[in-house]
Amino acid sequence: MAAQIPKHPLEIPPPSEKDWLKDDEEDFFLQDPDRQRDALPQPFRMVNKLVTLVFENAMEIIEEREMLREVEKLKVQPTKCFPTAEFQCSRANCLAVSGKYIFVGLSEGLAAFTVFSWEEVCAWDAVKTEICGIHALDLENEHHILLAVDEMGLVWLFCFHKESFRLIKILNEVEDISKRSTCVEVVLSPGGDYAWFPNADSTKAWLEIYRLPKDSWLKEMEKSSGAAAGLAHWRRRRSTAISMESPVSATKADAKLSLPVLLLKVKPPKPVTGSSFKSPLDALKKVDDGIMLGLGYNHLIKDSQWEQREGIFCSTYPECLEAEGERKNKEEIPRRATFHFLLPSQILQVQPEMKVQPDVPAGISVHWDGSHNLCFYLLNHPLKDKVDSDPKPEVVWPCAAPIVCSAVSSCSRYLALACEDATIIIWDAHLGYPLSVTAILEERLIRSIHFLQSSAAASEETPCPGTDPACPIVQLLVLCTDSSFYLVKTPVAGKSSITLLADRPEDPNLAVSAVVPVLAFPSAALVFSWNGTVSLMNTATSQIVYCFSTPPSHAVASPWQPVFTVDSMNWCLLLQGHKQQQRGALAESTASHSTIFIFDFNSYSLKEAFPKEPSLPLRSMQNLPWVERCNIFLHERQQSLPGLRELLPEYWSRLQARAAAMDKERQKVKGQKKL
């Protein structure tokens, strides 16, 4: 029988699955048939290799973590510091220290404890409301102001004197509950002259700034205390019962304190829309003067031009329409504002007829979430019968990107801004010019920024860095959303530098929940982690030098949102802890009682870990003559721009002559005032 010979040799067709691994054994069918396990056919071999790859990657990660643990064991471990004292209280939500008293916001009111004896001296639970936030300030003669926020968003204003709470007013209380606004934060100015808090309802958000009559309160409380003392003396002399209609008791019952006055009501800026002006002259009439940049409302762009621009954008960049729609939806939601009090400086130009005190805030800075503008408002306006509900800012600073966060130094001289594009701007408010503009190259999102105390300024005589050329470096601690740390050093003359203190942690439990600078020590910052550790970092060396630990029977309560406060006057840390239910487990957040642990910095050798550099005696630039100010300013500029004095000799002489004339004019005005 004739055999049919094919024209072409027989070949196995290639596999149709292109995504299969290419390193398979092509001769698996030629292997030993006596082996215990046969090779798997496709696609089971691919699944087997994928599972093996997953296990190999997992083992690599495990080995890497074990190696990191071994490296951590070889490192110098930070010194553990245990609490020096503790006291018990009901479940605490917030803490505040003012003078020699500790105020605790509880689940059913307020409580006051003494600093050194740690004993409860007073409690307020008249309304049985849960206090979620508190801010306290010591006035004088053991008079304290307290602002508290409850669970319903109401703001309670108290005075604390003679170990007793006195309610002054609920600031945002309204009769119609449907019109009630909520608040989540309260802030007092450093001297207690002003108070502010953000309000929001279902449709809008705004800020309210109150002027506090603290001088009147001191007199009224002293008078009320005198009446109470007279009543007690009169009761001791008369053994008979005193009726409530007694004139003395009526004086005590009717003794009320003066109410705070609403000064400003700041609303978020409205979006820029089409112009309604018919001519440039109409737009110029709306502008007060030409020395500042506004919010961009006074322009001549019509609605048709805005629509034409939007149409061109939509046709050119259709891929950005979805992101643009999400941004517009976010703008409809009431936004949160960041607010700072500012002392008198060159940024805010105060009118000559306005009285300005060097230690009393003269203005405020406000920026809203998602906004490019930083707005400044003056606080020295005369009181009016009707509060301006939408005041115009005195100064507007536009930024290239939306502002994420901001910070003001303890002396209010330096102002720092952080934008969405990781750009950081540091301003010198006293001289009115920016010190540096820098950015994080890794393009990480900035979460918060904090000014640190320099080693040359960490003393009682030098309360703030940079108040004099003797402290030429400003330090800023930057915390990113991925828990990485950066230290920005900005010299008065020269380029700024950025140092990575800690990179993103591999372990999610080491994520940072809060960062607080410790102004009592130079370059010191407290770091709170999700695993409950509280560390003290020396930013100058990027090392953790101390670790504040609770007793073994307790753990830090809610480490992702710890309840703590740093007492800068008595140099101690107050931290809330809960008793553990079992080994390795945290107590539930619904525990009925809490323990407040006190870590006294004076009991540890912290001064050795943070040595202070010798510094020259400081002189405030606000008290210097104009000639010396000009010399300091030009000397600093000369260091950054060599040869400035030689290139501009005429400008130098004119500037000195002008400064001398201003000093003579100021002395003349002072002499006229004395006469």
Side-chain angles (χ1 to χ4, degrees), residues 190-191 193 343-344 357-361:
D193 298 275
L343 295 178
Q357 300 179 10
D359 56 346
V360 177

Side-chain angles (χ1 to χ4, degrees), residues 156-174:
W156 302 72
L157 178 60
F158 294 91
C159 269
F160 182 82
H161 181 56
K162 300 292 185 181
E163 298 184 354
S164 64
F165 290 99
R166 177 175 294 183
L167 176 63
I168 300 176
K169 185 183 178 181
I170 303 177
L171 297 181
N172 58 344
E173 185 181 22
V174 292

Side-chain angles (χ1 to χ4, degrees), residues 65 69 504-511 531:
R65 291 186 178 181
R69 290 176 183 175
R504 176 183 177 181
E506 297 291 341
D507 189 359
N509 294 326
L510 298 179
N531 60 354

